[in-house]
Amino acid sequence: MSPREPGTPGNTPATGIHGRAAALRALKDEIAQGPDEKSTAAQHAKGKLTARERIALLLDEGSFHEAEQLRRHRATGFGLEDKKPHTDGVITGWGTVHGRTVFVYAHDFRIFGGALGEAHAEKIHRIMDRAVAAGAPLVSLNDGAGARIQEGVTALAGYGGIFTRNARASGVIPQISVMLGPCAGGAAYSPALTDFVFMVRETSQMFITGPDVVQAVTGERVSLGGLGGADVHAEVSGVAHFAYDDEETCLEEVRYLLSLLPRNNRETPPAVPLEDPADRSCEALLDLVPADGNRPYDMRRVVEELVDDGEFLEIHERWAANVICALARLGGQVVGIVANQPLVQAGVLDIDASEKAARFVQMCDAFNIPLVTLVDVPGFLPGVAQEHNGIIRRGAKLLYAYCNATVPRISLILRKAYGGAYIVMDSRSVGADLSYAWPTNEIAVMGAEGAANVIFRRRIKAADDPDATRRQLVKEYQAELMHPYYAAERGLLDDVLDPADTRRVLVESLRMLRTKHADLAARKHGNPPQ
């Protein structure tokens, strides 16, 4: 029997496969356009892109595969039974970034204000599960009004499922949250559980309780931006790792970050062909870093001189600026850099700097990114506020992170390395694989003047000229215990380097450590200081 022709009984254009395929294409085109032109115009009027426009900027052109495009909620009551738009306010799927698979979900604010209901949550749960199963990064594009009030506790349960999956995926696949609109109440905890948070100025906010509630409870008057805007979270709270002026720049930087991360914890970050010579001499370092330990300099310029092509991505650039955390490449391979910043509080470690660096070290260790630590630290910040706010337990987070890390670890002491801060900044004694120093290094329990004042207190007090005696004893202490080869002579350094040779030595050392293997004791998990 020959196939029926279009238009014959049983295979009319309306009911046959050709007609149904055409109807499906029309339906999907309609869904892709969004609910209506008015809602799209309203989104653009706020300076915001639509969910699909955002996905198009994030992923490689033409690579997006949407999942559950036809999904609709099944809730009733409060008028929901009369309004059942496709996608239910969230677009989920996968595509590629620089040719590598990435999973994504994006709230569509044009539908229910991007609020989360049962079907909405189930779509997110499923794409999160697929990301873990496929071993690929997950990016969430957040622009939602929180839980869908009309669906009650069912919506809240949906958030519980997201939080559980965030926790289980932690350290397994990279999770990136991009805040492109409001994120209030319990919904804010999902971004907080992820590895990186991006925000856009003016249009994105995050807070647990809004300005109205804050004013009602505490009497404090504050704007949306002043309570939970991008600059607040990038500079004050430390919730946001990155803040940008517009969505296009923000999403381009997300793509750049993804290029520096592995797909999952079983892989290493992607390498690139080396164009910047591995043995390039860094003569500029001789002039960048003053030998006088009391003179400040910009550690970013040191990092720029050392890494491939001078390019690096700083994490939490504006929060706890006394320590630098950055991703870069050395010899074509991705590394994580932790460095004290002498331009800010002389590079001292405090509560925020310790927590910032600790989280970064843990992220690098989870995703097989070697660590290079650049040390120029005068100690921990003294003060009643620091002690009362828990510098002991919170500073210990950085110590715990380094001690627990099994990736290749190299430390380089440029100048000062005093007291407990020296130990915490990945010293040999806490497990650094290689420890180097420049001939300007000063490794000691404390600075020479402070040490002399303690050791020779009585002798200085009894002297005819206490100031002259103090200066002499300080010189003696420096010559005896703080000369640049003291630690190397006692096996606490692998070598003292000519600063110009630093890049070559680091690249060669990382190449040697690439096959490092380390096992931790069997345990369910550690109990890090909180």
Side-chain angles (χ1 to χ4, degrees):
M1 182 181 296
S2 62
R4 291 176 178 154
E5 296 297 326
T8 59
N11 193 28
T12 64
T15 60
I17 187 64
H18 291 282
R20 294 189 181 189
L24 174 63
R25 288 193 295 271
L27 175 60
K28 290 191 172 185
D29 287 344
E30 182 181 335
I31 294 171
Q33 291 299 317
D36 53 60
E37 292 183 2
K38 183 179 179 181
S39 60
T40 299
Q43 182 81 347
H44 288 162
K46 297 174 185 175
K48 295 164 40 172
L49 300 175
T50 66
R52 294 185 187 278
E53 288 169 341
R54 290 163 176 167
I55 290 173
L57 285 174
L58 173 67
L59 301 177
D60 296 338
E61 185 176 356
S63 69
F64 182 54
H65 297 266
E66 188 169 353
E68 298 188 77
Q69 184 183 26
L70 301 175
R71 186 71 185 265
R72 303 165 95 173
H73 72 76
R74 55 187 179 183
T76 58
F78 305 101
L80 285 179
E81 63 273 15
D82 299 322
K83 190 176 182 181
K84 294 187 175 184
H86 291 98
T87 74
D88 200 45
V90 64
I91 299 168
T92 65
W94 66 93
T96 61
V97 173
H98 301 302
R100 297 190 303 155
T101 299
V102 171
F103 286 80
V104 61
Y105 68 85
H107 299 126
D108 191 339
F109 197 83
R110 299 171 300 171
I111 298 175
F112 297 127
L116 180 140
E118 180 187 30
H120 184 120
E122 287 177 353
K123 288 181 65 175
I124 295 175
H125 296 168
R126 193 163 287 113
I127 210 66
M128 294 178 78
D129 291 341
R130 284 175 177 165
V132 172
L138 174 71
V139 178
S140 63
L141 305 179
N142 298 270
D143 185 10
R148 195 174 298 169
I149 299 173
Q150 300 94 320
E151 296 195 32
V153 71
T154 306
L156 294 179
Y159 276 120
I162 293 173
F163 301 156
T164 298
R165 287 166 174 82
N166 283 140
R168 289 178 179 171
S170 180
V172 178
I173 58 171
Q175 299 180 83
I176 299 173
S177 298
V178 188
M179 316 310 298
L180 301 166
C183 185
Y189 284 114
S190 177
L193 288 168
T194 61
D195 299 301
F196 300 96
V197 176
F198 288 72
M199 294 188 74
V200 175
R201 295 184 182 90
E202 304 300 332
T203 58
S204 64
Q205 306 92 32
M206 295 175 66
F207 41 73
I208 299 300
T209 53
D212 293 341
V213 176
V214 169
Q215 184 176 353
V217 174
T218 70
E220 299 170 289
R221 298 176 65 91
V222 64
S223 65
L224 285 170
L227 181 63
D231 288 327
V232 167
H233 287 310
E235 296 178 15
V236 182
S237 72
V239 171
H241 299 78
F242 307 94
Y244 298 99
D245 291 330
D246 58 79
E247 295 189 16
E248 291 84 355
T249 303
C250 180
L251 292 169
E252 184 58 37
E253 289 299 294
V254 174
R255 287 175 57 86
Y256 180 41
L257 173 61
L258 285 166
S259 75
L260 297 169
L261 299 174
R263 290 182 296 184
N264 55 64
N265 64 341
R266 300 183 302 276
E267 299 183 3
T268 56
V272 299
L274 183 60
E275 296 181 0
D276 190 355
D279 60 353
R280 169 171 55 81
S281 180
C282 299
E283 299 289 339
L285 294 176
L286 296 167
D287 298 316
L288 281 177
V289 182
D292 181 355
N294 294 319
R295 290 179 58 193
Y297 62 94
D298 190 351
M299 184 66 83
R300 287 192 186 91
R301 295 187 62 191
V302 175
V303 175
E304 185 178 325
E305 182 67 21
L306 291 173
V307 302
D308 293 356
D309 303 311
E311 294 183 359
F312 61 93
L313 178 63
E314 187 169 352
I315 315 297
H316 267 144
E317 179 180 355
R318 296 159 61 198
W319 179 63
N322 42 324
V323 69
I324 294 170
C325 297
L327 292 172
R329 284 190 168 87
L330 267 170
Q333 303 290 333
V334 176
V335 297
I337 295 173
V338 179
N340 306 109
Q341 173 56 293
L343 277 184
V344 181
Q345 296 181 290
V348 71
L349 285 178
D350 60 6
I351 287 172
D352 288 346
S354 298
E355 292 191 330
K356 168 182 170 177
R359 187 98 196 288
F360 181 74
V361 168
Q362 289 173 168
M363 184 280 298
C364 288
D365 188 52
F367 294 116
N368 307 309
I369 300 173
L371 287 159
V372 174
T373 304
L374 306 178
V375 184
D376 191 347
V377 61
F380 281 93
L381 181 65
V384 174
Q386 288 287 306
E387 297 294 346
H388 286 186
N389 285 307
I391 185 63
I392 295 174
R393 65 179 173 83
R394 296 163 80 177
K397 293 181 181 183
L398 180 54
L399 181 61
Y400 186 96
Y402 270 126
C403 290
N404 209 42
T406 60
V407 292
R409 292 156 50 189
I410 301 173
S411 66
L412 171 66
I413 300 165
L414 281 65
R415 297 193 310 187
K416 300 181 299 295
Y418 294 161
Y422 154 66
I423 300 172
V424 169
M425 289 295 290
D426 205 20
S427 63
R428 169 77 72 78
S429 58
V430 298
D433 297 296
L434 292 168
S435 187
Y436 298 118
W438 285 357
T440 46
N441 80 82
E442 295 179 359
I443 305 173
V445 175
M446 63 177 69
E449 187 159 338
N453 286 338
V454 172
I455 298 172
F456 305 115
R457 178 173 53 87
R458 294 181 180 176
R459 186 172 165 184
I460 292 171
K461 186 177 180 180
D464 294 334
D465 187 345
D467 290 338
T469 301
R470 181 185 293 107
R471 287 194 296 270
Q472 180 60 33
L473 292 173
V474 166
K475 290 180 181 179
E476 290 179 9
Y477 183 86
Q478 287 175 320
E480 186 70 24
L481 296 177
M482 293 181 64
H483 64 80
Y485 309 112
Y486 183 84
E489 290 170 355
R490 282 150 185 80
L492 297 175
L493 293 174
D494 288 280
D495 201 2
V496 177
L497 306 179
D498 179 339
D501 293 334
T502 304
R503 172 177 164 81
R504 175 184 60 80
V505 172
L506 290 178
V507 171
E508 291 175 352
S509 298
L510 288 166
R511 186 178 296 129
M512 179 275 292
L513 289 168
R514 196 171 299 161
T515 55
K516 174 188 174 182
H517 177 76
D519 290 317
L520 293 174
R523 58 181 174 180
K524 186 175 182 181
H525 57 74
N527 186 23
Q530 297 295 326

